[in-house]
Amino acid sequence: MRLSHSFGKTLREAPAEAELVSHQLLIRANYIRPVGAGMYTFMPFGYRVIRKIWRILAEEMDAIDGQEMWMPNLNPAALWQATGRWNSVDVLFKLKGNGNREYALSATHEEVVVDLALREIESYRDLPRMVYHISKKFRDEPRPRGGLMRLREFIMKDAYTLDRSEAALDEYYPSMIQAYFNVFNRCGVPTVAINADVGAMGGKTSQEFTVPHPQGEDVFIACDNCGYAANVEAAEFVREGERPATLAALTKVETPDCKTIADVAAFIGVPTSQTIKAVFYWWRPRYVETPGEGQLVFALVRGDLAINDTKLVNALGGGFVRAATEDEIRAVGAVPGYASGVGLTPAQGLQSPGVMVMADTSIEYGGNYVVGANEEPYHYTGANYGRDFAVSKLADIAQADTGHKCPVCGGRIEAKRAIEVGHCFKLGTRYSAAVNATYLDENGQPQLIYMGSYGIGLDRLMAVVVELHNDKDGIIWPDSVAPYQVHLVHIGKEGDGTKARAEALYERLLAAGVEVLYDDRDGLGAGVKFKDADLIGIPWRVTVSARSLEQGGVEVKRRSASERQNLTEDQLLGLLKG
Ligand code: ATP
Ligand code: MG
């Protein structure tokens, strides 16, 4: 490719709002251009990188018996209604066609795959199968950000397994995990696989592939001692603390101007771990709120801990939560800021009258608590679980954090930020049961198909490659995903004979099958051309100039190193081919 013909230009400055290095460099180096919030065009260099990642993904999926196909992005609403996700996936783009026909833009493809499985899979002989495609996904993300990190339209490699049984799925699953490690390693992105929350996908277990990064949106919990790693939405930890030997009497005390846990603890003179934090939520089964649908949930956690909303939702058996309004709280006789379980009658379960009181198990590891008196401005001291208040359910709803005790080895865990680049789900029969996708077993009995689903975002992966491979001058592409292998730079003046030599070398490299970006632009000095080469980040820089010719050939420099060497053209070809 001749730089003099290439579409678009490198830029000196990144857009002001670009905070991530990858966002800045991909724009400056002419890989991507914004079209709207969360929408980008891949410019010709950028699309070449995507195709490189594409090929790696296809090779690794093919190696574990994957069959590549291509599914549509426009889906009939009926497919999404059949699995119940038309109303439960908050980021689903919905649209209406002529005659008010309703469609979804594919946010993911379980719906299409399970519908195909229903039609194509007849008996146990048709299983197992693994299919995948590399295609667009559309998600109405509330906050697109970080250039290619969080988009509304993006490219995903998504693979789907269809199996006879849970055991068969369990047996295949590790080969997918290994293929994921292979993909990321080949792209120069070392990842940590962590246990994650299954979220809107449903199913049994899931592994998230993450890259530790200070600006990552995910938080995961890691134990350096034993290697335990889990997303904070799923991470467990050991509750520490004792029940006091003697229980104090429940006593009402005036606590003026104490609105937070820290205020109350300081006012009374106890550690925050001797208080109970109470948070009101409104729980509902569907993402879309219907008036009158749902229930108030009162969540309790020891005052030194915090509630994790995802863990809470899982403990409730699914659905969605939001902060309850003041009116909703007062309607059950509780007082915002001064609420506690004392005096509340816990309901037996969701959809039953009364207040659903969900408590984290941490409240069992302490006592003589300071809790709200459901009356302003009073708290109780000496409150004890079991004696003074009851709960509907005790569960693991507290967020694990740095310094907590590891659930595996008892060491100390640490919270770290990370970027998620891939996700593997054991879906089980979540989707097949919804549409009754079965196969006939050896005895002619219908059995539900077991599914797995496995996604990697190409755009985000490309951004992460840049996050990990750059310096102050620009991108440093790993060879595996670089848009070109050689950045050929011509430096010289008209009539000094250098241009003809550079042109000839360009033709020779192309003929040898080397991918070359050729800076053939006239009238630009070495400074400008080398700056662009560093910014664009192609692994080998090869310069033809009067000086290089004097020394017998070309000057060769690796983008990742500072040394330059002089080689003959033959030596250069040997180097590139070796
Ligand atoms: P996140 O928690 O970041 O929203 P997710 O759990 O919704 O991700 P999956 O549905 O598991 O993501 O999708 C698989 C992969 O697709 C992710 O690991 C990520 O690489 C990519 N991905 C998901 N959402 C986006 C997005 N909005 N923009 C770019 N890539 C995305
Ligand atoms: Mg998401």
Side-chain angles (χ1 to χ4, degrees), residues 139 141 149-151 154 156 420-423 425 457 460:
R139 292 183 186 181
E141 301 278 1
M149 286 293 175
R150 184 164 298 283
L151 300 166
F154 60 101
M156 199 198 285
E420 176 197 322
V421 287
H423 211 157
F425 295 90
R460 190 181 290 178

Side-chain angles (χ1 to χ4, degrees), residues 170-443:
D170 288 348
E171 199 183 319
Y172 178 83
Y173 196 75
S175 58
M176 183 64 81
I177 298 286
Q178 185 56 51
Y180 267 48
F181 280 122
N182 296 348
V183 165
F184 297 124
N185 289 339
R186 286 178 68 181
C187 294
V189 174
T191 51
V192 185
I194 63 181
N195 294 324
D197 175 65
V198 291
M201 286 294 176
K204 224 172 46 136
T205 58
S206 87
Q207 265 69 41
E208 228 169 54
F209 287 77
T210 64
V211 179
H213 190 287
Q215 283 151 299
E217 282 182 83
D218 268 33
V219 177
F220 77 102
I221 294 295
C223 175
D224 287 342
N225 188 40
C226 70
Y228 174 73
N231 191 298
V232 75
E233 296 177 344
E236 295 169 19
F237 67 101
V238 178
R239 310 294 186 274
E240 295 174 274
E242 301 285 326
R243 258 186 107 87
T246 46
L247 300 188
L250 187 69
T251 312
K252 196 192 265 187
V253 291
E254 197 175 342
T255 52
D257 299 324
C258 290
K259 281 283 183 189
T260 68
I261 286 285
D263 292 345
V264 180
F267 183 81
I268 302 208
V270 294
T272 52
S273 58
Q274 209 182 320
T275 67
I276 291 184
K277 201 182 283 177
V279 187
F280 283 97
Y281 291 87
W282 188 262
W283 172 91
R284 61 192 195 278
R286 275 178 286 219
Y287 178 69
V288 179
E289 276 204 67
T290 315
E293 191 176 56
Q295 186 171 346
L296 192 72
V297 172
F298 186 47
L300 302 178
V301 66
R302 213 174 58 192
D304 57 323
L305 301 171
I307 291 164
N308 181 284
D309 287 4
T310 306
K311 282 178 143 187
L312 173 65
V313 166
N314 288 338
L316 290 167
F320 298 85
V321 292
R322 61 161 168 78
T325 63
E326 205 164 316
D327 288 346
E328 286 163 346
I329 297 170
R330 291 196 189 276
V332 299
V335 181
Y338 294 89
S340 81
V342 179
L344 290 183
T345 311
Q348 287 316 300
L350 292 169
Q351 315 293 9
S352 53
V355 189
M356 179 76 190
V357 184
M358 288 292 294
D360 182 67
T361 53
S362 56
I363 65 163
E364 288 190 300
Y365 295 80
N368 293 337
Y369 288 116
V370 176
V371 302
N374 289 324
E375 183 184 340
E376 201 168 338
Y378 296 97
H379 278 80
Y380 286 117
T381 60
N384 286 287
Y385 166 56
R387 186 191 70 182
D388 304 315
F389 62 95
V391 304
S392 316
K393 190 176 169 187
L394 274 177
D396 171 16
I397 59 169
Q399 180 153 316
D401 208 342
T402 299
H404 289 160
K405 194 167 177 177
C406 174
V408 177
C409 74
R412 294 292 152 187
I413 55 178
E414 202 186 326
K416 300 181 179 178
R417 293 209 151 264
I419 300 167
E420 176 197 322
V421 287
H423 211 157
C424 292
F425 295 90
K426 282 186 187 173
L427 298 172
T429 55
R430 155 74 179 85
Y431 294 91
S432 53
V435 302
N436 200 31
T438 58
Y439 68 96
L440 295 179
D441 67 12
E442 285 91 332
N443 306 317

